[in-house]
Amino acid sequence: MPYVNIKVTKEGVTPEQKAKLIQGVTQLLVDVLGKNPQTTVVVIEEIDTDNWGIGGESVTVRRQRKQ
Amino acid sequence: MPYVNIKVTKEGVTPEQKAKLIQGVTQLLVDVLGKNPQTTVVVIEEIDTDNWGIGGESVTVRRQRKQ
Amino acid sequence: MPYVNIKVTKEGVTPEQKAKLIQGVTQLLVDVLGKNPQTTVVVIEEIDTDNWGIGGESVTVRRQRKQ
Amino acid sequence: MPYVNIKVTKEGVTPEQKAKLIQGVTQLLVDVLGKNPQTTVVVIEEIDTDNWGIGGESVTVRRQRKQ
Amino acid sequence: MPYVNIKVTKEGVTPEQKAKLIQGVTQLLVDVLGKNPQTTVVVIEEIDTDNWGIGGESVTVRRQRKQ
Amino acid sequence: MPYVNIKVTKEGVTPEQKAKLIQGVTQLLVDVLGKNPQTTVVVIEEIDTDNWGIGGESVTVRRQRKQ
């Protein structure tokens, strides 16, 4: 019955990578807590780099500054 | 003052359906807990079927497999 | 498959009231969107009034001021 | 290490405004709680006005009604 | 920079199990998306069984009914 | 109408500090986006250090290791 929400920056995550995240985190909850995978929900949200901040600045600006 | 977040798969939910969800969940909080509807916030998020996992696989794959 | 998160202030919500919220919001998603109730997840979170702000002040202070 | 999620209606928030929100909320956590800005994460989510409800109706309808 | 929120029912999850969830999901994001573990945040929330609904009823009631 | 969720580790945040966070983030949304403070909701959640992971380990372990 767990619910997992994964937020990452929107930078071309492929359906295959999303499938691996869903499969991997569901298996982790089976292995560690014995949860039922059939009722384990995983929601991936992709966030624009303008909308993600760390260190007080957006990821967009952070990436530009580091080039 | 309640805050309700409803996440559903992005599959053509109409503005009319969204209005019914907002109206219905707000009324539920009035009826059950006596909350003030004027400060009850409802946020609906629609999630791509590639990004929603259940049973260890994405809804996209699950739908294809079940056809 | 929907996921619903309901946040309310922690002020003595009873198990019966929680059951009504869970039942009501699940039925709403069945009625409006035709969702499967068996995979509809509802999570209620109760938040201390010190930790809930509206109008720039905590609900604790707001309640005291209105007395 | 704090995590801050800001949800606002999707109505033309500019990258400059997003940068100010990220900078401002990160600084607030430094000032009030002495948190390390380098591990403070801020995620801004913009929500369609059809998907945001208050007072039992969507912001779209609320805006039209108030004109 | 990912942020992961894991919600499970509050039923005696040990610090060792929590450590395994944190380690496992962080490693998954490194393996699948090449994310930096140093800025990957994982937040585990444990929810009372009265407050978790599935199939229109609370986990508390569901467990009692199945005994 | 914004909704802000602030998650921090549970380490003795005082009601005064919470009030400053609520006041500060509400004012920020007024200043940057011209939002109405009366419908701006702020929810602070305090998370046990066992339940907060960064760099693949819990904050509890991280703190012990750094002493």
Side-chain angles (χ1 to χ4, degrees):
Chain A
M1 239 155 347
Y3 169 78
V4 182
N5 181 227
I6 300 174
K7 283 186 164 75
V8 293
T9 45
K10 192 180 188 73
E11 300 177 278
V13 183
T14 67
E16 289 70 28
Q17 289 172 320
K18 292 172 186 176
K20 281 184 189 170
L21 290 177
I22 289 167
Q23 196 274 329
V25 79
T26 303
Q27 191 59 45
L28 184 70
L29 284 154
V30 172
D31 293 345
V32 177
L33 297 180
K35 295 294 182 182
N36 177 4
Q38 291 313 314
T39 52
T40 296
V41 174
V42 182
V43 171
I44 301 167
E45 290 176 288
E46 297 168 275
I47 305 292
D48 195 279
T49 55
D50 281 353
N51 292 25
W52 193 295
I54 186 161
E57 63 188 357
S58 76
V59 172
T60 306
V61 168
R62 196 177 174 91
R63 292 264 158 82
Q64 290 169 341
R65 203 170 40 73
K66 288 199 169 168
Q67 281 177 345
Chain B
M1 241 155 347
Y3 168 79
V4 182
N5 180 226
I6 300 175
K7 284 184 163 75
V8 293
T9 45
K10 190 180 189 74
E11 300 177 278
V13 183
T14 66
E16 288 69 29
Q17 289 172 319
K18 292 173 188 176
K20 281 184 188 170
L21 290 177
I22 290 167
Q23 196 274 329
V25 79
T26 303
Q27 191 59 46
L28 184 68
L29 285 154
V30 172
D31 292 345
V32 177
L33 297 180
K35 294 295 182 181
N36 177 3
Q38 292 312 313
T39 51
T40 296
V41 174
V42 182
V43 172
I44 301 167
E45 290 176 289
E46 297 167 275
I47 306 293
D48 194 279
T49 56
D50 281 353
N51 292 25
W52 193 295
I54 186 161
E57 62 188 359
S58 75
V59 173
T60 306
V61 168
R62 197 179 174 90
R63 293 264 159 81
Q64 289 169 343
R65 203 170 40 73
K66 288 200 170 169
Q67 280 177 346
Chain C
M1 241 155 346
Y3 168 78
V4 181
N5 181 226
I6 300 174
K7 284 185 162 74
V8 292
T9 45
K10 191 179 187 75
E11 300 176 279
V13 183
T14 66
E16 289 70 28
Q17 289 173 318
K18 291 172 187 177
K20 282 184 188 170
L21 290 176
I22 290 168
Q23 196 274 330
V25 80
T26 303
Q27 191 59 45
L28 183 69
L29 285 154
V30 172
D31 293 346
V32 177
L33 298 180
K35 295 295 181 183
N36 177 3
Q38 292 312 314
T39 51
T40 295
V41 175
V42 182
V43 171
I44 301 167
E45 290 176 288
E46 298 168 275
I47 306 292
D48 195 279
T49 55
D50 281 352
N51 292 26
W52 193 295
I54 187 160
E57 63 187 358
S58 76
V59 172
T60 306
V61 168
R62 197 178 175 91
R63 294 265 159 80
Q64 289 168 342
R65 201 169 42 72
K66 287 199 171 169
Q67 280 177 346
Chain D
M1 241 156 347
Y3 168 79
V4 181
N5 182 226
I6 300 174
K7 284 185 164 74
V8 292
T9 45
K10 192 181 188 72
E11 300 177 278
V13 183
T14 66
E16 289 69 30
Q17 288 172 321
K18 292 173 187 175
K20 281 184 189 170
L21 289 177
I22 289 167
Q23 196 272 331
V25 80
T26 303
Q27 190 60 44
L28 184 69
L29 285 154
V30 172
D31 292 347
V32 177
L33 297 180
K35 294 294 181 182
N36 178 3
Q38 291 312 315
T39 52
T40 296
V41 174
V42 182
V43 171
I44 301 167
E45 290 177 288
E46 297 168 275
I47 306 292
D48 195 278
T49 56
D50 280 352
N51 292 26
W52 193 294
I54 186 160
E57 62 188 358
S58 75
V59 173
T60 305
V61 169
R62 196 177 175 91
R63 293 264 159 82
Q64 289 169 342
R65 202 170 41 73
K66 288 200 169 168
Q67 281 177 344
Chain E
M1 240 155 348
Y3 168 79
V4 181
N5 181 226
I6 300 174
K7 283 186 163 74
V8 293
T9 45
K10 191 181 189 74
E11 299 176 278
V13 184
T14 66
E16 288 70 29
Q17 290 173 319
K18 292 172 186 176
K20 282 184 186 169
L21 291 176
I22 290 167
Q23 196 274 331
V25 80
T26 303
Q27 190 59 45
L28 184 69
L29 285 154
V30 171
D31 293 346
V32 176
L33 296 180
K35 294 294 182 184
N36 177 3
Q38 292 312 315
T39 51
T40 296
V41 174
V42 182
V43 171
I44 301 166
E45 290 176 289
E46 297 168 275
I47 306 291
D48 195 279
T49 56
D50 280 353
N51 292 26
W52 193 294
I54 186 160
E57 63 188 358
S58 75
V59 173
T60 306
V61 169
R62 197 178 175 89
R63 293 264 158 81
Q64 289 168 342
R65 202 170 39 72
K66 288 199 169 168
Q67 280 176 345
Chain F
M1 239 155 348
Y3 169 78
V4 181
N5 181 227
I6 299 174
K7 284 185 162 75
V8 292
T9 44
K10 192 180 187 73
E11 301 176 276
V13 183
T14 66
E16 288 71 27
Q17 289 172 318
K18 292 172 187 176
K20 282 184 188 170
L21 290 176
I22 290 167
Q23 196 274 330
V25 79
T26 303
Q27 191 59 46
L28 184 69
L29 285 154
V30 171
D31 292 345
V32 177
L33 297 179
K35 295 294 182 183
N36 177 2
Q38 291 312 314
T39 52
T40 296
V41 174
V42 183
V43 171
I44 300 167
E45 290 176 288
E46 297 167 277
I47 306 291
D48 195 279
T49 55
D50 280 353
N51 292 25
W52 193 294
I54 186 160
E57 62 187 358
S58 75
V59 172
T60 306
V61 168
R62 197 177 174 89
R63 292 265 158 80
Q64 289 168 342
R65 201 170 41 73
K66 287 200 171 169
Q67 280 177 345

